[in-house]
Amino acid sequence: MIHARVCVGLMAAAIAVCGCSSGGDTARPADTIPSSTTIPVQHVVVSGRATFDGSPFDAQFVGAVVRTHGLVTPCQNTLPPVAKGRYEIEVLNSATASGCGAPGTDILLWTFIRNKQYFSTSAVPWPVDGQPATFDVSFTTAAPDGGAPPRTEFAGEIFDASGQRLPDGTRVEAYVGKTLCGVASVRTSGDFTGFSLSVVGPDSVAGCARGAKVTFRVDGRTAKTTSVNNFRTVRSLNLILP
């Protein structure tokens, strides 16, 4: 869930990593898949009507975050448009991207209207069976953050000590002290390989204090890079491993 204007800038190289998601499914050639093999579903489809201040609207894109145990993670697979108050979006699951959908989580949508980001006022539970879900969603000027908690949003790339970029699937965690305050993973779209991560505050997870130092772990290894949980958007934060 990174601010949409940040996403637009990074999407020049990455269609949907930022705000924040992957570039889609990778299919194997049909003749390499035995007839008994089932390809795991990597996302669920959520669709329905969308209103802004009670009326249908058009928007360039709609995105999604998954909310679980107080954390929120950007999880849209693509950034589709809203057209005449209708939308359809693919939301990634936790087997595909860290922090994304699983039974017991729920989905919030966001959109960008008149140069401002808005989150949905309500959420839809993650469908247990992985089947498509219908969600009639509303956004309002009275509550731009809707059901999304206060958060600091980071986006960037991850490099090892030799300067090599880390690959898709690399897990990224944000901590305040010993408290987990954000989780995501590296994804690739176009020429961009990186992460988008939201760090929540104490209203969501006790211990995720506002103004506190944030440290990052990459597949369990502590990065040299640190930041501050100041409820702002950090446009580019590259994580460097020692």
Side-chain angles (χ1 to χ4, degrees), residues 53-69:
D53 286 343
S55 300
F57 67 97
D58 294 328
Q60 184 179 355
F61 42 69
V62 61
V65 299
V66 168
R67 187 172 59 185
T68 176
H69 303 302

Side-chain angles (χ1 to χ4, degrees), residues 99-236:
C100 290
T105 68
D106 54 19
I107 303 166
L108 285 163
L109 300 184
W110 60 265
T111 191
F112 202 61
I113 303 171
R114 302 170 192 159
N115 297 321
K116 186 175 179 64
Q117 188 180 27
Y118 292 88
F119 282 84
S120 58
T121 57
S122 61
V124 62
W126 183 266
V128 176
D129 56 5
Q131 294 301 306
T134 300
F135 181 31
D136 289 340
V137 61
S138 61
F139 306 90
T140 175
T141 54
D145 280 339
R151 64 215 169 273
T152 304
E153 298 173 324
F154 299 99
E157 299 174 281
I158 306 177
F159 300 91
D160 64 18
S162 67
Q164 295 296 310
R165 184 185 291 114
L166 271 64
D168 284 7
T170 301
R171 182 179 174 90
V172 187
E173 297 173 324
Y175 285 83
V176 170
K178 296 182 178 180
T179 302
L180 178 65
C181 300
V183 60
S185 56
V186 173
R187 308 174 203 161
T188 293
S189 185
D191 295 328
F192 181 80
T193 298
F195 71 96
S196 177
L197 174 72
S198 294
V199 176
V200 298
D203 291 343
S204 298
V205 176
C208 298
R210 182 171 186 170
K213 178 181 178 180
V214 179
T215 59
F216 301 90
R217 297 181 192 173
V218 179
D219 280 347
R221 301 161 61 193
T222 301
K224 295 166 60 177
T225 315
T226 63
S227 192
V228 178
N229 192 16
N230 56 11
F231 294 173
R232 296 181 181 178
T233 295
V234 180
R235 296 179 180 273
S236 179

Side-chain angles (χ1 to χ4, degrees), residues 1-4 7-8 11 14-25 42-44 46 61-66 73-80 88-93 96-101 107-111 117 119 126 187-189 196:
M1 27 83 212
I2 182 172
H3 195 288
C7 292
V8 171
M11 282 192 302
I15 296 173
V17 169
C18 198
C20 310
S21 192
S22 80
D25 303 339
Q42 296 183 327
H43 56 257
V44 298
V46 181
F61 42 69
V62 61
V65 299
V66 168
T73 301
C75 291
Q76 69 271 353
N77 191 40
T78 58
L79 289 171
E88 181 176 290
I89 185 170
E90 297 172 351
V91 186
L92 298 170
N93 65 22
T96 306
S98 297
C100 290
I107 303 166
L108 285 163
L109 300 184
W110 60 265
T111 191
Q117 188 180 27
F119 282 84
W126 183 266
R187 308 174 203 161
T188 293
S189 185
S196 177

